Amino acid sequence: ETGVTQTPRHLVMGMTNKKSLKCEQHLGHNAMYWYKQSAKKPLELMFVYNFKEQTENNSVPSRFSPECPNSSHLFLHLHTLQPEDSALYLCASSQMGEKLFFGSGTQLSVL
Amino acid sequence: QKEVEQNSGPLSVPEGAIASLNCTYSDRGSQSFFWYRQYSGKSPELIMSIYSNGDKEDGRFTAQLNKASQYVSLLIRDSQPSDSATYLCAVNIAADSNYQLIWGAGTKLIIKP
């Protein structure tokens, strides 16, 4: 596989569920990101990992928990989400911050 | 609050015409500017980057940057129906941190055959 692979593509979960989003990049990049995209709103940066160290956490609620075991893999653990958390969640990678490559995204619905 | 503003559209352009997309930004210290294209149901993909004042051309696409007026634009010549998408403007707000992009909400472009 090439590029940035993100799973699952779609996820429906209840507010009491625990689920995880997975992202893998095959580009040899040093940085990985989680973004949230809601309808008609700008992309919201959630987390940044640079060489698997977290460098940004933009006041994201603790019900979102990132994990970056190595430079190629990134997870977003979800628990006790709220309906307003329903959105498209995008993983991206880059080499030294230039040119983001995005995964296909996870469309999340919280019931 | 550092912001990037775009007209949400939709912007409707006849096939073969020039589509002009605009973006303004608030941080005078911004260093790098990017245009991403996002098809419906897909993820964004980078189509142009620009770093200095003036024009940068790549095929049918031209990015224009005016730092004094704090705007960046994207021109698409000979517009095709396949250009119909939402175009996102992104600005790097810090020279020493390439990881913090500020995004506009995007302009939806419709090319009419």
Side-chain angles (χ1 to χ4, degrees):
Chain A
E1 287 196 65
T2 59
V4 181
T5 304
Q6 198 176 334
T7 57
R9 292 293 305 273
H10 301 275
L11 179 61
V12 179
M13 59 187 289
M15 289 189 285
T16 59
N17 291 158
K18 290 184 179 181
K19 297 287 184 183
S20 295
L21 309 185
K22 178 183 176 183
C23 180
E24 182 176 1
Q25 60 101 355
H26 309 270
L27 301 168
H29 289 164
N30 65 291
M32 296 188 75
Y33 312 74
W34 281 115
Y35 277 94
K36 176 183 178 182
Q37 187 174 37
S38 303
K40 300 197 182 298
K41 290 186 178 180
L43 281 170
E44 298 175 47
L45 179 63
M46 301 175 72
F47 303 104
V48 182
Y49 280 82
N50 180 24
F51 291 107
K52 80 178 183 179
E53 297 296 324
Q54 187 179 125
T55 57
E56 294 286 343
N57 176 342
N58 283 355
S59 304
V60 179
S62 59
R63 56 186 184 269
F64 294 91
S65 174
E67 178 188 0
C68 188
N70 54 59
S71 295
S72 299
H73 293 84
L74 185 64
F75 296 89
L76 187 63
H77 303 300
L78 317 171
H79 64 98
T80 60
L81 294 190
Q82 304 299 309
E84 60 265 29
D85 295 323
S86 298
L88 180 67
Y89 289 85
L90 291 162
C91 173
S93 71
S94 73
Q95 183 61 27
M96 303 306 292
E98 292 292 319
K99 190 172 182 179
L100 294 178
F101 287 80
F102 286 88
S104 53
T106 296
Q107 188 64 55
L108 173 66
S109 296
V110 181
L111 304 178
Chain B
Q1 177 105 7
K2 295 179 172 64
E3 293 182 337
V4 174
E5 300 286 342
Q6 293 181 258
N7 188 321
S8 62
L11 174 66
S12 184
V13 174
E15 183 176 358
I18 296 175
S20 178
L21 304 164
N22 299 311
C23 170
T24 60
Y25 58 94
S26 62
D27 184 5
R28 285 195 169 276
S30 300
Q31 299 289 321
S32 313
F33 307 84
F34 307 90
W35 283 100
Y36 283 77
R37 177 177 62 199
Q38 186 173 23
Y39 291 115
S40 180
K42 302 294 185 182
S43 56
E45 58 175 331
L46 180 69
I47 54 172
M48 290 289 287
S49 58
I50 188 167
Y51 302 94
S52 54
N53 277 331
D55 295 359
K56 178 182 178 182
E57 188 174 317
D58 183 1
R60 295 186 297 111
F61 297 95
T62 298
Q64 299 176 318
L65 175 60
N66 185 322
K67 288 188 176 181
S69 300
Q70 295 177 240
Y71 82 79
V72 57
S73 61
L74 179 70
L75 302 178
I76 306 175
R77 290 183 301 280
D78 188 23
S79 298
Q80 304 296 310
S82 59
D83 295 325
S84 297
T86 296
Y87 289 80
L88 308 177
C89 175
V91 175
N92 184 341
I93 62 170
D96 59 350
S97 170
N98 282 316
Y99 307 97
Q100 186 67 283
L101 290 178
I102 303 298
W103 296 79
T107 298
K108 184 174 183 178
L109 175 65
I110 298 173
I111 305 300
K112 291 189 171 181

